[in-house]
Amino acid sequence: QQPVQSPQAVILREGEDAVINCSSSKALYSVHWYRQKHGEAPVFLMILLKGGEQKGHEKISASFNEKKQQSSLYLTASQLSYSGTYFCGTGRTGGFKTIFGAGTRLFVKA
Amino acid sequence: DTAVSQTPKYLVTQMGNDKSIKCEQNLGHDTMYWYKQDSKKFLKIMFSYNNKELIINETVPNRFSPKSPDKAHLNLHINSLELGDSAVYFCASSLQGFNTEAFFGQGTRLTVV
């Protein structure tokens, strides 16, 4: 049931773009994206609900393809502060839990 | 004001001991969670409570017993600690269920020696 994230890790230079993918074998109602920096708690980025619109703010946006049970997180013109591990979490109808993927480690260098 | 606070932040204990981790949220949320993050950073849900009622118990050993005295608190008691219990435990809360964003506490790093 755990969603699959790809890539597992990515290294970027400041200003480059990245895409992180999340896919599930089960029908999804929601997809969450979180970022966790080393030694800190995960921090919410955005949530996408079935039937909802693509979300985004500033240079981070995400899409949710319900038919394919996939979501993608788009990081544009990456900044050093974007470094961390990105987790997607999936939720199913009627559930009270979010199941997280294994995470994608993103490192942005100057 | 910290939205979701956990205590203690670090916990080092010997095998076989019993320990508790406390969690409090001041966001007025209905749903609270316990997650375990292992050394490979895999974040796995353990329990989910909604309005003090246990909703999800993800096949966690019964040595782990959550308790929610009220909506704002969700504590985790662990009996007979084992080496494999070493991990970072995160408490989180959300307004209601998984459709709303979750706020995480700072985590408790448990080390069993």
Side-chain angles (χ1 to χ4, degrees):
Chain A
Q1 278 190 332
Q2 180 187 11
V4 178
Q5 287 186 235
S6 63
Q8 290 185 336
V10 58
I11 300 175
L12 299 173
R13 288 193 180 276
E14 211 173 357
E16 291 181 339
D17 301 341
V19 179
I20 301 172
N21 299 303
C22 175
S23 64
S24 173
S25 59
K26 304 284 186 181
L28 300 176
Y29 185 83
S30 66
V31 178
H32 305 222
W33 286 98
Y34 289 79
R35 176 172 61 208
Q36 183 180 29
K37 293 185 179 287
H38 181 70
E40 299 180 6
V43 174
F44 175 81
L45 292 175
M46 63 191 74
I47 180 172
L48 300 102
L49 301 178
K50 186 177 180 180
E53 297 176 357
Q54 179 168 336
K55 295 274 187 99
H57 55 88
E58 295 184 350
K59 299 175 182 175
I60 300 177
S61 61
S63 62
F64 180 18
N65 186 324
E66 298 156 19
K67 287 186 179 178
K68 291 187 177 180
Q69 293 149 204
Q70 292 176 345
S71 177
S72 294
L73 184 72
Y74 305 95
L75 303 165
T76 306
S78 58
Q79 305 169 11
L80 296 177
S81 61
Y82 286 5
S83 293
T85 300
Y86 289 77
F87 291 97
C88 76
T90 56
R92 300 180 65 194
T93 306
F96 269 86
K97 65 181 180 182
T98 302
I99 300 176
F100 287 96
T104 294
R105 287 170 172 74
L106 182 84
F107 180 69
V108 181
K109 57 183 181 180
Chain B
D1 268 354
T2 304
V4 182
S5 60
Q6 293 178 231
T7 54
K9 189 171 182 181
Y10 300 97
L11 189 52
V12 181
T13 187
Q14 290 186 328
M15 275 195 309
N17 283 351
D18 303 337
K19 289 294 178 185
S20 292
I21 306 172
K22 296 187 175 182
C23 178
E24 176 182 3
Q25 55 97 359
N26 61 6
L27 299 167
H29 287 171
D30 286 344
T31 310
M32 295 187 72
Y33 314 83
W34 277 110
Y35 283 90
K36 178 180 179 181
Q37 187 169 46
D38 59 25
S39 57
K40 294 183 178 179
K41 303 300 182 188
F42 179 34
L43 201 59
K44 184 176 179 180
I45 189 164
M46 300 173 67
F47 301 103
S48 171
Y49 269 72
N50 193 59
N51 280 323
K52 301 193 302 177
E53 183 182 345
L54 178 65
I55 302 294
I56 300 289
N57 179 341
E58 282 292 295
T59 59
V60 176
N62 57 16
R63 297 182 296 104
F64 291 80
S65 53
K67 281 189 172 52
S68 182
D70 55 58
K71 256 178 37 169
H73 295 84
L74 180 61
N75 304 322
L76 183 66
H77 187 76
I78 315 170
N79 291 326
S80 304
L81 278 155
E82 302 176 357
L83 293 177
D85 297 332
S86 295
V88 180
Y89 292 84
F90 285 102
C91 174
S93 74
S94 64
L95 184 59
Q96 190 170 46
F98 63 86
N99 291 345
T100 52
E101 69 177 277
F103 291 81
F104 283 77
Q106 79 273 28
T108 296
R109 182 173 293 277
L110 172 65
T111 304
V112 183
V113 297

